Amino acid sequence: MPFTSNPINPSPLQSRLKRHPALFGIPFLLIIVGASFGLQTFTQTRYDLQDQKVKQISNEQALGLDRKKKKFDIREEYYKLSAAGEQDWEPKRIARPNDFPELGVPPTEPPAKS
């Protein structure tokens, strides 16, 4: 049987909560539900503003502002990129510091033992 902790002078709140645990649970649930209803107006405002932005964009599209844009063609982009690859350029190797060996080549000197 485990030892139970019984305070010498328990507070009236502790003894009431021991006898009736719903005195803690009911106000907690009321706060949660009340906050949900309270935050509902803020959430609705957020969705209303987002809806206005979407309607504003669709109005701009209805006016024909999208007609000026050129349609995307993947073949045209491919030919642009392949033509850009034929420009004059040359790969240049950057010199390594003396301490670092070449990659894939075994070191010429054995590693220094400390």
Side-chain angles (χ1 to χ4, degrees):
M1 179 171 147
F3 294 105
T4 58
S5 163
N6 291 327
I8 297 173
N9 294 325
S11 71
L13 181 63
Q14 279 182 331
S15 59
R16 233 186 229 157
L17 284 178
K18 266 189 180 176
R19 277 186 258 137
H20 307 288
L23 291 176
F24 175 76
I26 292 174
F28 179 73
L29 289 176
L30 287 176
I31 289 174
I32 297 297
V33 171
S36 173
F37 282 108
L39 292 174
Q40 182 181 9
T41 57
F42 294 113
T43 307
Q44 187 62 42
T45 304
R46 174 181 161 208
Y47 289 123
D48 289 343
L49 290 175
Q50 180 67 25
D51 191 38
Q52 282 180 346
K53 287 180 186 177
V54 170
K55 285 181 182 177
Q56 182 180 6
I57 290 172
S58 63
N59 288 341
E60 290 174 358
Q61 289 174 350
L63 291 175
L65 298 177
D66 202 26
R67 291 181 191 159
K68 295 179 185 176
K69 290 184 181 177
K70 188 176 180 182
K71 290 188 178 179
F72 179 77
D73 185 16
I74 190 72
R75 284 176 262 145
E76 183 179 340
E77 293 298 320
Y78 172 76
Y79 291 128
K80 281 182 188 176
L81 289 174
S82 64
E86 297 170 2
Q87 295 174 353
D88 294 334
W89 63 276
E90 190 174 315
K92 293 187 179 180
R93 186 173 178 110
I94 298 173
R96 293 181 181 266
N98 292 335
D99 328 2
F100 294 106
E102 292 288 325
L103 292 176
V105 178
T108 55
E109 300 174 4
K113 294 182 179 177
S114 0

